[in-house]
Amino acid sequence: MTAQPATAPAARPAQPAGSAQPEVRQVTEAQRLARAYLLRVAEPPAPALVRFVARHGPVVAAEQVRSGDVPDAVRAETEARRHLDQAEQDLAEADAAGARLVVPEDAEWPAWQFTALEAAENGGHRYAGEPLALWVRGSARLDDAADRAVAVVGARAATAYGEHVAAEFGHGIALAGHSVVSGAAYGIDGAAHRGALAAGGKTVAVLGCGVDVGYPAGHSALLRKIAESGAVVSEYAPGTPPARHRFLVRNRLIAGLSEGVVVVEAGRRSGARNTAATAAALGRLVMAVPGPITSAMSVGCHQLLRTGDACVVGSVEEVIETVGRIGVDLAEPPPAEVRATDGLDDQSLRVHEALGAGRALSADQIAVASGVPLGRVRALLTGLELAGFTARCEAGWRLAPAKARGDP
């Protein structure tokens, strides 16, 4: 048998300025069927199988997996399911659910984003490695959705504060022209998706089950809305049920598809912290939102900040500055609080404060209270009167009304 040449996932070529024409590639039916078969027989991540496919090509690799004629490492990943040849059925079920199989041979494959997954796997990170292919339900091209994308993740048992922040961040990030990536879970994930949708933006939900399963059940309608303008993504075959380990595995895709990850709320041990750790291993930017020190849902964020594993963000503008273009996407500093007395010198300020808000004082009394010599106090009181800070009366000196002083 002649080995099929490996088809390496190529980086998406730059489009000419003003061009909206996507790259067109010819993917054979045999290649797509082969990858659909391999996705079902190996539980992700399957790094040995991914390397085997890269070396031999998907069609030959699938044939050898079926026959069991594979290296030991590949056999360990595929032996239990290699008899499950349901590729045509999986493709038909996906099509019925409005989904398609995106493979590395497709032009919309986000090859550049997934390069870091391979590097992290080579570095020994537990949950890393490129996916063999991805089931995608939705109208958005996967490469477009992954371009300038930010992940917003956090606790399922989120507080009202956390959900509010996640929705505001999702909305603002989408308005800034970035895609919002999350995991479609209850709490922070769902709030981030809804915020992006409310802004008319693009959002991507990465699942730990089949794209046709609709998990969690309470987010079935949300997932349909996401698919209308964005994408629902999974590397698990249609019908695959959710499982705890699958959510940890899918977190690498959330991180890999994004330029940076924002953790809004997270417990001491949580999937959001796992996503943050994976993002750091991929060289992605990790951000965390501080919260009340009394909230168990902020412990994870505060640990990330305390250990220096994340930078603090408190606004959408700070998120965009962190992931954006250097020197361009800068957050505006908060406006400084201005007081009418800011321009006073030290002695003038002491005289002004000595007057307080009570009864009128004589110049002698002001000198004692302020510690400024009497002669200097008399001179300063005149200057403060001209500036509208003080007023002379029969009993001595008092503060001028706030309107006269020009207080904001």
Side-chain angles (χ1 to χ4, degrees):
M1 180 180 293
T2 304
Q4 176 187 347
T7 306
R12 183 187 176 199
Q15 295 292 331
S19 172
Q21 295 298 321
E23 181 190 2
V24 177
R25 296 185 192 175
Q26 294 298 321
V27 183
T28 67
E29 182 181 3
Q31 288 174 321
R32 208 174 298 281
L33 283 167
R35 288 194 180 270
Y37 163 75
L38 294 170
L39 271 183
R40 180 170 283 280
V41 301
E43 185 75 18
L49 179 58
V50 170
R51 289 192 293 270
F52 189 70
V53 172
R55 187 160 55 248
H56 298 286
V59 175
V60 171
E63 291 174 357
Q64 294 185 349
V65 167
R66 285 190 189 93
S67 67
D69 183 20
V70 291
D72 291 342
V74 177
R75 183 176 295 107
E77 295 175 351
T78 59
E79 184 65 23
R81 300 180 186 164
R82 65 184 177 90
H83 62 286
L84 298 176
D85 196 346
Q86 299 177 210
E88 291 186 358
Q89 178 182 337
D90 287 343
L91 288 167
E93 290 181 1
D95 184 63
R100 64 192 184 278
L101 183 64
V102 179
V103 299
E105 293 79 12
D106 281 315
E108 68 172 296
W109 184 257
W112 182 86
Q113 285 85 351
F114 286 160
T115 300
L117 289 171
E118 180 182 4
E121 189 268 321
N122 291 336
H125 191 70
R126 181 180 179 187
Y127 296 114
E130 292 187 73
L132 286 160
L134 290 170
W135 299 97
V136 179
R137 173 183 159 204
S139 61
R141 278 176 59 105
L142 194 55
D143 54 348
D144 287 340
D147 187 30
R148 302 186 72 210
V150 179
V152 180
V153 299
R156 288 174 171 81
T159 66
Y161 160 79
E163 291 198 11
H164 172 77
V165 171
E168 289 294 314
F169 275 26
H171 188 273
I173 290 168
L175 282 181
H178 294 255
S179 299
V180 175
V181 182
S182 199
Y186 293 129
I188 299 301
D189 291 14
H193 288 306
R194 285 189 287 270
L197 290 171
K202 194 176 298 180
T203 185
V204 178
V206 186
L207 306 185
C209 58
V211 293
D212 60 334
V213 172
Y215 180 87
H219 278 177
S220 294
L222 175 62
L223 290 169
R224 286 195 296 271
K225 290 292 291 182
I226 291 171
E228 288 176 7
S229 58
V232 178
V233 177
S234 176
E235 60 186 323
Y236 297 102
T240 302
R244 183 179 180 85
H245 72 277
R246 288 175 179 147
F247 291 108
L248 294 175
V249 170
R250 69 90 192 260
N251 287 346
R252 82 191 198 285
L253 299 180
I254 293 176
L257 287 168
S258 310
E259 296 173 297
V261 173
V262 182
V263 183
V264 177
E265 283 190 321
R268 191 176 300 275
R269 294 187 62 183
S270 65
R273 289 203 65 195
N274 170 266
T275 305
T278 302
L282 299 181
R284 300 299 195 253
L285 297 158
V286 181
M287 296 155 275
V289 178
I293 62 173
T294 54
S295 172
M297 290 299 100
S298 290
V299 171
C301 291
H302 294 165
Q303 286 182 331
L304 287 170
L305 295 170
R306 189 167 185 268
T307 57
D309 294 322
C311 68
V312 64
V313 288
S315 67
V316 171
E317 291 76 18
E318 290 176 357
V319 172
I320 300 303
E321 178 182 281
T322 302
V323 302
R325 297 160 293 176
I326 296 174
V328 178
D329 296 315
L330 300 177
E332 290 290 333
E337 182 181 354
V338 179
R339 297 179 180 177
T341 56
D342 284 348
L344 297 180
D345 60 38
D346 179 62
Q347 288 189 335
S348 297
L349 187 60
R350 285 158 59 186
V351 169
H352 181 269
E353 291 177 348
L355 287 167
R359 61 187 177 88
L361 300 176
S362 68
D364 289 335
Q365 290 172 312
I366 295 170
V368 172
S370 66
V372 178
L374 179 59
R376 181 64 178 153
V377 166
R378 288 172 174 154
L380 291 174
L381 285 170
T382 301
L384 289 170
E385 182 181 24
L386 292 172
F389 288 100
T390 61
R392 196 193 311 258
C393 61
E394 291 182 2
W397 294 85
R398 65 171 64 247
L399 288 177
K403 184 175 182 181
R405 295 201 311 269
D407 284 354

